[in-house]
Amino acid sequence: MNNKGESAMKNIRKNIMEKPWCSIAIALIILCIFSSFASPGFLQFSNFRGILLSATTTGIMAVGLTFVLLTGGIDISIGGIIYLTAIIYCVSLKRELSVPVAVVLAVGAASLAGILNGFLVYKFKMEPMITTLATLNVYKGIGLAISGGQNFSVPSEATFWGKGQFLNIPVPILILIVIILIGSYLFRRTRFGTFIRAIGNSESSAKESHLPVMKSLITAYFLTGISAGIAGIIYVSRTGGLQGNLGNGIEFTVIAAVVLGGTKLTGGSGTIAGSVLGAIFLVIIDNILTMLGASSYVFTAIRGLILLFAVAADRAAVVRQLTAVRDEKYKRLRQRENREGARI
Amino acid sequence: MSKQKNKKLIGKNPIREFFIAYPAVAIIILLIILFSTLAPGFLRISTFRNAMKGNAYLLVAAVAETIVLLTGGIDLSVSTVMAFSAVVSCLYMGGVETVGVGTIVMGLIVALGAGLIFGMFNGVLIGYLGMQPFIVTMGTRLIAEGVAVALTKSVAVPGPESMVMFGFKNLLGIPIVFLLAVIILIIVAIGVKQSGWGRKLILLGSNRESARYCGINVRRVEALAYTFSGLLSGLAGFFTIIVLGNALPTIGSTNLLVIIGAVVLGGTSMAGGEGSIERTFIGIALFAILTAGLNAIVVPYTIQMIIEGLIIFVGYSLSVNVTAKSVLAVK
């Protein structure tokens, strides 16, 4: 009886605990409980809405970046892409193009940038890190050349993507939800999702199995690029303007969010939900620090500490798992030795 | 190019062989020819003197990065640890008023200590606890940058007058800072080539498992690599005070690209095990000449960024595709 209950518990644990996004979800819940004790303003609806709104930019980019990390690559250039699209959006609005045309132009540029990244990574067999480091400079440089380093403002009729509401829900949150759904569909239900995980596990085996490596890689970088583009449009629409430092260092925040969500940098395993939860987690940290009255200068340092802590926790779990596997192996070996010894 | 042809060319022509092994040198020569035709004022001693002085601290930081890349890891925290130690050291020495030699020596020790702490932290987490270098150094990068910015409220801290004056001193027409940086590079290069630890480092980078089976204490070698890299980053931070005259907390976020770019352009592989410290000198020289030349022909900063990105791309793809292929062909 007792045994049965235990095995049921084990089943539940197995089903829930083995999901990669589980640890970040638990961390998020603990953080929320802590925050609600630490500051009474935290549990208000408007605060949650604000948190979700600020998490949209990072969240959308995190969904896109998850695909590239799954292939075992990395995309540093998203900071450049977000600036490039934001500036194209602002400039085309300033030239009095209509909003849909501006959106198409901006997102088109972002997709092209993403496809170029994927093509270069595949074709020249260079480290994705160096390739995208180089393209980061190129995209940011093109963006700055267009803007001339000036600040731009978005006309009020074009801020729908950031400030608008649909059925009383802010548009950015709706877009985030749609992107999560599309991402999860691509990740779980299409062959593309399987291919990129296969590439992440071993690119050479994927090639030998005649998987379309080139197509999948380019698609993964394309998804990252387009998500950075959408995030860029939402960001400038929400804040109403564009500063020269937009996108500086955002790649590290997004990578941190994805890694906090349980995606492995070496590729092959990860989830979309985890990445979004990771992005929300980072925003909540900023939120609670602001509420506690911490100076904004220390945010970066605390983000770094949390990232290290998360990686350490992940590593500890891996070590525990490996030890358990090793112990099991030794146990079986010992049993076999005993059996064989008895036979002799 | 067929295998046979490649083999023949390499065997016969030492100049060609040299350029295949060091494609960055070819780019440097092309750049010098290009810039001297475009800008008549480019080929002056003062251009090169300024380039040498301005890049002295990047050279030291790039040496720090090379050590880590040789192990097959990566250190994203080099540039921000550099900024952090510069800030801490400047705050320790305090103010613009003339300070004694003793204070400056203590400032150097503080800078080295700050770098060493971050390096050891990286080393223990990566070497002994087996965590991913990319994420760990990203975390320490954020911590170093955050603390540096929080300490200074994002404002540059002025360095001591005597150190700034030292930056202007020349020996035989060459800035002394640059000479010091080159001496450090040579010492580290000899250390990596000749010492047992250096050879273990390269073996670790080329094949971790076989290094372990050879009886090398892989954990200690790796941890030491990151520690040493942190120490050199601290030294680079001290150099920034001499070169720039102040400690800028935000200098770390802008320089990472140049540092990693220079190391890989020099021909050190990111996969580890291939490359050397002296190759990094070529990479930094390429970047220095590129920036000096673009400034001489008055190219706007934005276009410079684009060109820098393209050069990294072209240079690295040359070193990956040409060098690797020819080496394979010879084998």
Side-chain angles (χ1 to χ4, degrees):
Chain A
M1 193 62 206
N2 196 13
N3 222 351
K4 217 173 192 177
E6 239 170 49
S7 72
M9 271 303 286
K10 246 184 195 166
N11 257 336
I12 293 172
R13 264 185 67 170
K14 206 176 177 185
N15 280 337
I16 297 179
M17 297 295 267
E18 279 188 358
K19 295 263 190 282
W21 47 266
C22 161
S23 40
I24 183 70
I26 292 172
L28 206 57
I29 292 167
I30 293 172
L31 184 71
C32 282
I33 294 170
F34 169 75
S35 312
S36 54
F37 277 114
S39 93
F42 180 78
L43 275 181
Q44 268 159 21
F45 181 68
S46 61
N47 191 37
F48 272 111
R49 202 177 147 134
I51 288 172
L52 272 183
L53 262 180
S54 353
T56 45
T57 333
T58 329
I60 290 172
M61 289 165 93
V63 172
L65 192 68
T66 310
F67 287 103
V68 167
L69 286 191
L70 280 171
T71 68
I74 200 157
D75 193 344
I76 308 278
S77 73
I78 47 179
I81 297 179
I82 192 173
Y83 186 79
L84 183 64
T85 43
I87 194 66
I88 287 175
Y89 186 62
C90 289
V91 167
S92 34
L93 286 174
K94 209 183 173 193
R95 296 263 165 88
E96 291 177 350
L97 292 169
S98 68
V99 178
V101 176
V103 170
V104 168
L105 278 178
V107 172
S111 333
L112 272 183
I115 291 173
L116 185 66
N117 277 341
F119 180 74
L120 294 178
V121 166
Y122 179 79
K123 198 72 197 166
F124 291 93
K125 314 242 175 312
M126 285 161 50
E127 293 278 335
M129 163 109 197
I130 290 297
T131 313
T132 52
L133 210 57
T135 53
L136 164 69
N137 243 29
V138 173
Y139 299 150
K140 181 94 193 185
I142 294 175
L144 282 171
I146 296 174
S147 74
Q150 286 172 321
N151 293 347
F152 278 83
S153 63
V154 179
S156 56
E157 70 269 15
T159 53
F160 172 76
W161 302 109
K163 287 180 181 159
Q165 293 202 338
F166 184 74
L167 298 176
N168 237 349
I169 306 171
V171 173
I173 295 177
L174 282 177
I175 297 178
L176 175 64
I177 291 169
V178 170
I179 284 179
I180 293 171
L181 290 179
I182 296 175
S184 305
Y185 173 76
L186 285 175
F187 181 67
R188 290 187 175 185
R189 304 258 176 240
T190 60
R191 277 190 282 176
F192 163 72
T194 319
F195 289 164
I196 53 169
R197 267 173 284 169
I199 294 171
N201 280 325
S202 166
E203 191 171 334
S204 50
S205 321
K207 242 175 222 164
E208 274 162 23
S209 322
H210 296 288
L211 298 187
V213 175
M214 178 175 170
K215 215 170 103 189
S216 310
L217 267 183
I218 291 180
T219 317
Y221 282 91
F222 159 73
L223 289 173
T224 306
I226 199 169
S227 66
I230 295 168
I233 291 176
I234 289 176
Y235 184 83
V236 284
S237 310
R238 190 158 60 80
T239 54
L242 172 76
Q243 270 92 46
N245 62 2
L246 166 63
N248 282 357
I250 200 169
E251 56 275 5
F252 290 112
T253 315
V254 178
I255 293 171
V258 178
V259 171
L260 281 178
T263 300
K264 287 209 172 57
L265 269 179
T266 41
S269 112
T271 54
I272 303 286
S275 305
V276 178
L277 289 178
I280 296 174
F281 186 80
L282 286 179
V283 174
I284 290 185
I285 298 272
D286 282 3
N287 182 270
I288 193 70
L289 284 174
T290 321
M291 284 196 160
L292 292 176
S295 129
S296 64
Y297 293 118
V298 299
F299 283 15
T300 323
I302 288 176
R303 223 177 255 171
L305 270 179
I306 285 165
L307 186 64
L308 282 182
F309 188 73
V311 184
D314 181 53
R315 178 69 198 166
V318 170
V319 168
R320 207 168 54 215
Q321 230 169 25
L322 287 178
T323 334
V325 168
R326 202 189 54 200
D327 287 353
E328 185 72 14
K329 212 163 148 189
Y330 282 158
K331 211 170 106 192
R332 279 189 198 163
L333 270 177
R334 228 172 289 131
Q335 276 173 355
R336 209 173 84 188
E337 264 172 22
N338 283 346
R339 263 206 316 271
E340 278 167 6
R343 217 178 292 154
I344 291 162
Chain B
M1 204 182 285
S2 75
K3 216 169 160 180
Q4 199 64 37
K5 204 174 169 189
N6 220 343
K7 202 174 180 177
K8 221 161 108 191
L9 284 169
I10 287 168
K12 266 189 181 173
N13 197 337
I15 298 173
R16 199 189 167 90
E17 196 179 344
F18 176 78
F19 280 127
I20 284 177
Y22 297 91
V25 177
I27 301 180
I28 291 179
I29 294 171
L30 283 179
L31 282 179
I32 291 179
I33 294 170
L34 181 75
F35 286 135
S36 48
T37 48
L38 285 177
F42 176 72
L43 273 184
R44 279 205 200 115
I45 294 173
S46 67
T47 317
F48 289 94
R49 196 179 284 160
N50 287 338
M52 282 174 186
K53 189 192 159 190
N55 289 287
Y57 65 96
L58 286 179
L59 189 59
V60 180
V63 170
E65 184 70 59
T66 316
I67 294 172
V68 170
L69 284 189
L70 281 177
T71 68
I74 191 163
D75 192 345
L76 300 177
S77 68
V78 163
S79 55
T80 52
V81 169
M82 176 178 88
F84 171 78
S85 9
V87 163
V88 173
S89 166
C90 252
L91 286 176
Y92 173 80
M93 291 185 287
V96 277
E97 71 268 26
T98 40
V99 289
V101 179
T103 322
I104 289 179
V105 171
M106 275 311 288
L108 174 64
I109 292 172
V110 167
L112 289 177
L116 189 66
I117 289 171
F118 271 104
M120 276 168 71
F121 187 64
N122 280 337
V124 168
L125 290 189
I126 295 166
Y128 284 100
L129 302 181
M131 284 153 69
Q132 282 252 334
F134 189 93
I135 292 289
V136 170
T137 54
M138 200 167 96
T140 43
R141 173 189 170 81
L142 292 174
I143 293 174
E145 188 175 10
V147 175
V149 168
L151 280 176
T152 58
K153 304 254 179 294
S154 210
V155 182
V157 187
E161 194 92 12
S162 45
M163 275 176 74
V164 183
M165 292 314 293
F166 179 75
F168 288 106
K169 280 194 181 138
N170 294 330
L171 183 73
L172 304 172
I174 302 170
I176 296 185
V177 204
F178 175 73
L179 285 179
L180 286 177
V182 171
I183 290 172
I184 290 164
L185 179 132
I186 292 172
I187 292 172
V188 177
I190 292 174
V192 168
K193 275 257 161 64
Q194 300 296 327
S195 75
W197 175 71
R199 265 169 285 175
K200 284 174 189 168
L201 196 74
I202 289 171
L203 181 53
L204 168 68
S206 49
N207 194 332
R208 198 187 176 86
E209 280 305 296
S210 47
R212 210 160 58 86
Y213 289 135
C214 286
I216 292 170
N217 189 343
V218 175
R219 295 176 162 194
R220 199 177 65 198
V221 171
E222 195 170 26
L224 271 177
Y226 284 91
T227 313
F228 200 47
S229 161
L231 189 73
L232 281 173
S233 311
L235 192 60
F238 192 72
F239 274 60
T240 60
I241 309 174
I242 301 176
V243 172
L244 304 174
N246 54 27
L248 207 59
T250 50
I251 197 175
S253 47
T254 46
N255 275 324
L256 180 69
L257 172 80
V258 179
I259 293 169
I260 295 185
V263 177
V264 292
L265 274 189
T268 298
S269 154
M270 281 192 79
E274 268 173 50
S276 59
I277 306 286
E278 60 268 20
R279 279 174 173 272
T280 298
F281 183 81
I282 303 173
I284 285 284
L286 204 168
F287 265 99
I289 285 165
L290 183 67
T291 329
L294 291 176
N295 282 333
I297 53 176
V298 204
V299 173
Y301 173 67
T302 55
I303 310 292
Q304 284 194 21
M305 276 179 83
I306 302 175
I307 295 176
E308 260 177 26
L310 289 177
I311 288 278
I312 291 181
F313 183 76
V314 172
Y316 191 54
S317 69
L318 275 181
S319 74
V320 168
N321 292 314
V322 177
T323 313
K325 261 183 207 159
S326 57
V327 168
L328 278 180
V330 171
K331 274 179 187 169

